[in-house]
DNA sequence: CCGGATCCAACGAGATACTG
DNA sequence: CAGTATCTCGTTGGATCCGG
């Protein structure tokens, strides 16, 4: 980090810019990685079971999903609900906290849909 | 990739889920990495010059910004406008294509702002 | 069927020094 | 001022094996 260099020149910038950039960075910190948002989409659409989720996210492996879900549980993004019956079933749910992220995910989906239309026309 | 395993079971899932997940993945492919979105925010807010941008994105180095801008230019996200005068000045602008991404960035900022409020209260 | 643990490759990211 | 070229390093991502 060579923040010294950045700070040395106070520079005529509107504080607003810096703040918006920081907000974006904060959100990115929570949502970083390749799989976090797709997993949220899956859960949001009612895919709750482990293999169910894995099967519907193109390219993900079980190991990656497992690791991501662990981290997301620690970060309070998902809840893990285990049923002790046999065969063992586990469900994952979005926390309310995570649900508040959905506008971001939604705009992502909308852009993707629009973009698909554009490039295929 | 053990997609074979994923494909083997057609499985009762609504196609809609898969499509939304794919759309999100498409968008993420364009916006991946730690710096792409912050750079877009900076440009969107009227920071056009190289050092101006670097100074206003916390944590970024000149080298990272340089590399990102190159890739973003190739991907048609930014335009590089060089003025041959001395001292040399270069401006970067968002392309229209990139501007269409701004709803995503905006929702990111809004969540970040909201989140800041929540954790500081 | 539900995963976790481990090991390793690939890539992203940063430090540093240098150029026009 | 506006970059580029390497080099290193940590993290992400993935394959494989293991357990309840």
């Amino acid at each position: 980090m060579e923040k010294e260099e950045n700070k040395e020149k106070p520079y005529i910038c509107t504080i607003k810019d810096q703040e918006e950039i920081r907000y974006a960075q904060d959100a990115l910190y929570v949502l970083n990685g390749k799989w976090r948002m797709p997993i949220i989409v899956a859960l949001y659409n009612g895919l709750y079971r482990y293999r169910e989720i894995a099967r519907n996210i193109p390219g993900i492996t079980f190991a990656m999903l497992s690791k991501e879900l662990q981290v997301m549980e620690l970060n309070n993004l998902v809840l893990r609900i285990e049923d002790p019956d046999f065969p063992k079933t586990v469900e994952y749910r979005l926390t309310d906290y995570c649900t508040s992220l959905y506008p971001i995910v939604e705009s992502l989906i909308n852009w993707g849909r629009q973009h698909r239309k554009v490039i295929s026309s």
Side-chain angles (χ1 to χ4, degrees), chain A:
Chain A
M1 286 291 189
E2 20 97 87
K3 285 205 178 170
E4 309 78 24
E5 183 171 356
N6 288 357
K7 277 198 295 188
E8 270 172 19
K9 310 212 170 188
Y11 172 68
I12 38 93
C13 105
T14 63
I15 304 288
K16 177 170 168 293
D17 299 337
Q18 275 252 10
E19 281 185 349
E20 294 206 336
I21 292 170
R22 284 177 186 279
Y23 292 147
Q25 287 180 308
D26 290 348
L28 279 175
Y29 180 78
V30 176
L31 290 170
N32 76 13
K34 193 174 172 182
W35 302 116
R36 204 99 15 129
M37 300 222 236
I39 291 171
I40 295 175
V41 179
L43 287 165
Y44 192 84
N45 278 286
L47 303 173
Y48 300 134
R49 307 260 307 277
Y50 181 66
R51 301 206 168 229
E52 201 175 29
I53 298 167
R55 268 189 299 250
N56 282 280
I57 300 181
I60 203 169
T61 60
F62 291 129
M64 283 310 304
L65 179 58
S66 178
K67 271 194 285 191
E68 279 301 311
L69 285 171
Q70 280 179 41
V71 177
M72 292 173 75
E73 197 189 358
L74 286 177
N75 293 356
N76 195 32
L77 289 176
V78 300
L79 260 123
R80 187 176 185 281
I81 304 150
E82 189 162 341
D83 180 341
D85 289 351
F86 181 84
K88 184 169 152 189
T89 65
V90 184
E91 285 197 1
Y92 292 91
R93 300 281 178 156
L94 297 181
T95 61
D96 290 344
Y97 173 61
C98 188
T99 306
S100 76
L101 285 167
Y102 206 72
I104 301 173
V105 178
E106 202 157 33
S107 59
L108 212 68
I109 294 170
N110 287 334
W111 185 88
R113 192 190 340 263
Q114 197 60 35
H115 186 243
R116 181 74 57 96
K117 269 193 244 169
V118 172
I119 61 174
S120 70
S121 65

